[in-house]
Amino acid sequence: KAAMEADRAAGKRPSEELFVRPAQAFQKANRTNEMLDALTMRVQDYPTAATWRNLLYIMLQQAGGDKDLNLDVLRLMRATDSMTDRPEYAEYAALAIDAGYPGEVVSIVKQGQSKGVIPKSDTHFSGILSSQEPRAASDAAAVAADAGKPATLSNPKAARATADALVGNGQAAKAIPLYEAALKAGGGSDPLVLYRLGVAQALTGQNDAAIASFGKVQGPRQKLAQLWTVHVKTKTAPAAAPAAPATGG
């Protein structure tokens, strides 16, 4: 850290080795939290798709069997353009199907196809599209109708679920008032709602508001909120040099 601070004081970006070597040492010592801290500092100075993938791949492993948390990690991986392999798209699609977000399923599969990660001939994903596209169309209409109902706005659980679906459908701006209503109806401190509100704000370019929302998040998504904050602050930064591998994944 002293070397990093010295570099920054001199107007230089710290060498990537100053992040990579400690991260590798922490990994060998099974000091996972400190490893994640080192890799988080790394993406602040080297916010490339490769460095984000390295960090978020480890976050996926740490999430264990929490499907909802895994889905949020994959969403950040998508936002940082660091989904590069077929299995990530397969897991994302499976989790979004389980959670009941057909519009998001269709969107992520088509993104994988457009990037060339998923061949159009891939029968697994073709089957997903054939089953989810009709559901996505009917679900989008139902979600739009629910979004305008007073009963939705006054029920924190319904407001949050509707907002989640809107974000999955690519309508983050329309989700923000619903998250705000969910917070108001629920007492204003639900960490999941605060986190998802921050994501919606980040996706719509409301960076200062997003950072403020993420700063209030406690609990299992606190680390993800910190990473979203890093992403918001660095996404307009100039591209860095190609990343050196730090840890497995």
Side-chain angles (χ1 to χ4, degrees):
K1 287 183 179 179
M4 292 174 195
E5 290 166 5
D7 281 346
R8 292 191 180 109
K12 298 188 297 182
R13 181 170 60 174
S15 164
E16 197 170 2
E17 277 293 297
L18 293 176
F19 309 101
V20 172
R21 293 180 67 184
Q24 291 172 334
F26 285 136
Q27 183 185 40
K28 290 178 182 177
N30 291 318
R31 292 163 64 176
T32 303
N33 288 336
E34 290 156 303
M35 175 184 66
L36 291 174
D37 287 343
L39 294 178
T40 298
M41 289 190 289
R42 183 194 190 197
V43 294
Q44 290 175 318
D45 281 292
Y46 294 86
T48 66
T51 56
W52 275 111
R53 174 180 165 72
N54 186 216
L55 171 54
L56 294 173
Y57 186 87
I58 296 167
M59 293 286 289
L60 274 177
Q61 294 172 319
Q62 295 301 310
D66 188 332
K67 292 183 177 181
D68 206 33
L69 185 58
N70 272 320
L71 185 54
D72 277 336
V73 175
L74 286 163
R75 285 165 171 157
L76 178 53
M77 189 176 277
R78 180 184 188 182
T80 55
D81 200 28
S82 55
M83 292 180 63
T84 58
D85 292 344
R86 182 185 184 279
E88 291 143 24
Y89 284 92
E91 182 176 3
Y92 193 140
L95 290 171
I97 289 170
D98 286 347
Y101 300 127
E104 189 169 4
V105 176
V106 171
S107 175
I108 193 63
V109 171
K110 289 188 173 180
Q111 178 181 305
Q113 291 177 332
S114 69
K115 288 180 174 292
V117 179
I118 301 170
K120 292 289 179 69
S121 59
D122 191 311
T123 56
H124 173 72
F125 286 100
S126 297
I128 289 175
L129 285 179
S130 65
S131 69
Q132 294 297 305
E133 282 184 311
R135 296 178 187 176
S138 59
D139 181 74
V143 168
D146 288 341
K149 293 178 180 177
T152 301
L153 296 172
S154 62
N155 183 321
K157 186 175 180 180
R160 195 262 294 170
T162 304
D164 288 345
L166 285 168
V167 173
N169 290 341
Q171 298 176 303
K174 293 182 179 180
I176 290 173
L178 285 157
Y179 285 129
E180 292 172 338
L183 281 174
K184 183 178 179 180
S189 60
D190 186 316
L192 177 56
V193 178
L194 281 167
Y195 174 80
R196 297 271 173 83
L197 170 62
V199 171
Q201 291 166 329
L203 291 173
T204 54
Q206 299 180 35
N207 295 342
D208 290 343
I211 290 169
S213 296
F214 289 134
K216 299 173 186 175
V217 176
Q218 301 293 320
R221 281 173 176 74
Q222 186 174 32
K223 185 65 178 179
L224 273 180
Q226 293 169 350
L227 293 175
W228 263 102
T229 298
V230 171
H231 174 55
V232 167
K233 290 180 176 179
T234 60
K235 62 184 176 181
T236 57
T247 56

